[in-house]
Amino acid sequence: MRTTSRARRTVAVAAIAAAVPVVLAGCSSAGDNEAASGSSITYWLWDSNQQPAYQQCADAFQQSSGITVNIEQYGWADYWQGLTTGFASGTAPDVFADHLSYYPQFVSQGQLLDISDRVEKDGLDLGIYQDGLAELWTNQDGGRYGLPKDFDTVATFYNEKMVTDAGYTAEQLSDLAWNTADGGSFEKLVAHLTVDQNGVRGDEAGFDKTKVAVYGLALSGNGLNASGQQTWSPYALSDDWYYGDKTPWTSSWNFGDDSFAGTLAWYKGLIDKGYMPSVDIALSEQDPLNGYLAGRYALVTDGSWMNSSYLGQDDVPTKVAPTPVGPSGQRASLFNGLSDGIWSGSKNQDAAWEWVKYLGSAECQDVVGEAAVVFPAVKTSTEKAEAAFTEKGWDVYGFTVQVADGTTKLLPIADQWSEVNDTMKAAIESYLKGASDKSALQSANEQVNALFK
């Protein structure tokens, strides 16, 4: 996928800087197809890879409802800036794909329509979605601001030739473990896959960590933030640590815990030993995909939304392994999801609701699943996506095993996430660069906790 698709999941998003006037989100009664028939609404997406599937949904929806859906697709940065402008000028789309990092802010600004009454009136079964996804889109007062659209987990993409040449099998990569003492079998693999410019591996005598040709593990600049989705989170979360007291609506944070500092210390050790690139390199390239395709990385921790970018490369045969088992005895992955939200200022709320309801149905999500781009939120549609990936010859077990085994952890959602993210991102980067110690993490944690007092 493109950079815009990559960014769709990165939760290191800045707060929307422009002041957005509050539009009161009234809970009007649900419309029906007859009332909305003949209407025309606008729907925004940021992922062009998914646009064909949603256009297919829109065509089928128009035939059954008489409602025309005009789909507009924008790159990630332009997408959110366009929403900001649209909210301020009263020209925002009727319906738009929403992200958990932005959603609390939109709710507080009154820009999202509360659909709880419509869900109840139309008798929607929220049990059709993967466990936990529907709850993400409710606020503290019980309002509901979207229906689950899709979900993602993280896993390890690996260069099949490099791994085979190093003497490892796919079965071995699916059975790795890590710990903070010696890194376990996972660090041994990363060390062996690291090769310097003289052809010496990271676990061999004479290895020169200042002249690395192939890093065993990539470091994603996109993931160096307060969620660590594609970087440190699979390790911290598999060591019995969590971000805060609860989610959604986290209000007390745990970034100052010794267990978190211990995970980061081990993770930093991979950089210090030359097995993983420096923070400066990661930030300069942001997305490690190009480096991986160029042969600079053997392993990349990344999200399921990047399947086609890695698995669709004929020149670099790639497979997927699950994240390693941690000290807790289980592996772990963040569980993130998107929804489709209705702008509270829409003049076509009844038609918009019919479209959102259709987007959240198995009928549409089956179409999305069969496109083999993302995993739909509806459980039965997820199965269709797995079958579609298999038909392509792509084994995505490394992503789905987390859901099957119940080892996923929900993304932290908080009212002041952008402030939390900015503070912790700076502290985490500083720590991994060696410019500070764990006291800086504790100090930053005190700062973010103070936001909620």
Side-chain angles (χ1 to χ4, degrees):
M1 294 185 201
R2 312 130 10 263
T3 302
T4 50
S5 182
R6 133 80 57 201
R8 71 187 286 273
R9 303 294 185 179
T10 303
V11 294
V13 290
I16 294 180
V20 182
V22 172
V23 180
L24 295 179
C27 296
S28 59
S29 60
D32 54 29
N33 283 356
E34 183 178 353
S37 180
S39 299
S40 177
I41 58 174
T42 302
Y43 176 51
W44 278 19
L45 291 169
W46 66 75
D47 187 353
S48 63
N49 285 331
Q50 294 186 65
Q51 187 171 353
Y54 282 110
Q55 186 60 59
Q56 188 176 338
C57 286
D59 293 342
F61 176 70
Q62 182 178 17
Q63 289 183 0
S64 64
S65 69
I67 301 170
T68 300
V69 178
N70 299 306
I71 300 179
E72 298 181 13
Q73 185 271 325
Y74 300 90
W76 174 262
D78 292 339
Y79 184 91
W80 299 107
Q81 183 56 49
L83 278 179
T84 300
T85 302
F87 291 156
S89 63
T91 58
D94 300 288
V95 181
F96 58 94
D98 201 3
H99 192 287
L100 285 169
S101 294
Y102 284 108
Y103 138 73
Q105 184 175 359
F106 291 162
V107 171
S108 67
Q109 293 170 343
Q111 299 296 345
L112 280 173
L113 182 71
D114 182 352
I115 61 172
S116 56
D117 60 337
R118 297 171 184 265
V119 170
E120 182 178 358
K121 179 178 181 180
D122 289 359
L124 267 62
D125 179 10
L126 300 179
I128 66 173
Y129 303 111
Q130 295 288 352
D131 296 345
L133 291 182
E135 288 72 25
L136 293 175
W137 302 97
T138 59
N139 71 352
Q140 299 98 316
D141 299 324
R144 178 172 297 281
Y145 297 91
L147 295 177
K149 178 186 190 69
D150 55 31
F151 74 87
D152 60 71
T153 58
V154 299
T156 304
F157 291 105
Y158 66 90
N159 184 306
E160 187 177 10
K161 184 178 186 305
M162 288 183 181
V163 166
T164 300
D165 289 348
Y168 280 85
T169 65
E171 290 73 19
Q172 287 175 304
L173 261 69
S174 294
D175 195 31
L176 297 171
W178 81 277
N179 61 68
T180 55
D182 61 12
S185 57
F186 178 71
E187 182 171 331
K188 289 180 180 178
L189 169 72
V190 173
H192 195 59
L193 289 173
T194 303
V195 184
D196 70 16
Q197 294 175 6
N198 295 317
V200 180
R201 293 188 178 275
D203 57 356
E204 296 175 340
F207 170 70
D208 188 349
K209 68 179 184 180
T210 68
K211 297 179 180 179
V212 177
V214 178
Y215 290 99
L217 180 64
L219 178 62
S220 172
N222 284 319
L224 290 173
N225 48 59
S227 73
Q229 187 171 13
Q230 311 102 286
T231 52
W232 49 263
S233 70
Y235 313 107
L237 294 171
S238 62
D239 194 16
D240 289 325
W241 176 87
Y242 189 69
Y243 300 88
D245 56 346
K246 61 181 179 178
T247 197
W249 314 109
T250 309
S251 59
S252 178
W253 302 85
N254 298 326
F255 291 108
D257 290 2
D258 287 343
S259 61
F260 180 66
T263 296
L264 281 195
W266 166 76
Y267 198 63
K268 177 179 179 293
L270 298 180
I271 298 174
D272 296 341
K273 295 171 185 176
Y275 305 159
M276 194 163 67
S278 68
V279 171
D280 288 338
I281 291 174
L283 292 176
S284 67
E285 65 184 9
Q286 285 294 304
D287 190 336
L289 176 62
N290 289 334
Y292 173 82
L293 297 179
R296 293 198 299 273
Y297 306 123
L299 311 175
V300 182
T301 304
D302 218 327
S304 54
W305 64 93
M306 293 294 285
N307 271 325
S308 62
S309 295
Y310 286 91
L311 301 179
Q313 300 292 335
D314 294 333
D315 295 338
V316 185
T318 300
K319 288 191 175 181
V320 181
T323 57
V325 173
S328 68
Q330 293 186 324
R331 60 183 96 251
S333 167
L334 273 178
F335 194 41
N336 190 15
L338 303 181
S339 79
D340 291 299
I342 300 174
W343 177 41
S344 60
S346 169
K347 293 180 172 57
N348 300 294
Q349 290 182 2
D350 289 343
W353 165 241
E354 294 299 328
W355 173 234
V356 165
K357 186 167 60 172
Y358 185 75
L359 288 168
S361 70
E363 183 176 352
C364 177
Q365 295 201 13
D366 280 355
V367 171
V368 175
E370 289 164 358
V373 177
V374 295
F375 295 118
V378 174
K379 294 175 183 177
T380 54
S381 301
T382 301
E383 295 171 1
K384 286 181 167 51
E386 292 180 79
F389 280 119
T390 299
E391 189 173 339
K392 281 188 172 185
W394 298 354
D395 183 356
V396 294
Y397 166 82
F399 292 107
T400 58
V401 66
Q402 302 273 8
V403 178
D405 290 352
T407 55
T408 58
K409 306 290 184 182
L410 293 173
L411 190 75
I413 301 170
D415 278 322
Q416 303 187 70
W417 173 253
S418 62
E419 290 88 348
V420 173
N421 184 64
D422 288 346
T423 300
M424 293 315 309
K425 182 177 185 294
I428 290 168
E429 285 182 9
S430 176
Y431 183 89
L432 293 178
K433 286 181 178 181
S436 61
D437 57 21
K438 71 176 184 179
S439 65
L441 298 174
Q442 295 166 343
S443 176
N445 192 69
E446 291 174 1
Q447 291 180 51
V448 298
N449 276 334
L451 295 171
F452 296 87
K453 293 181 179 179

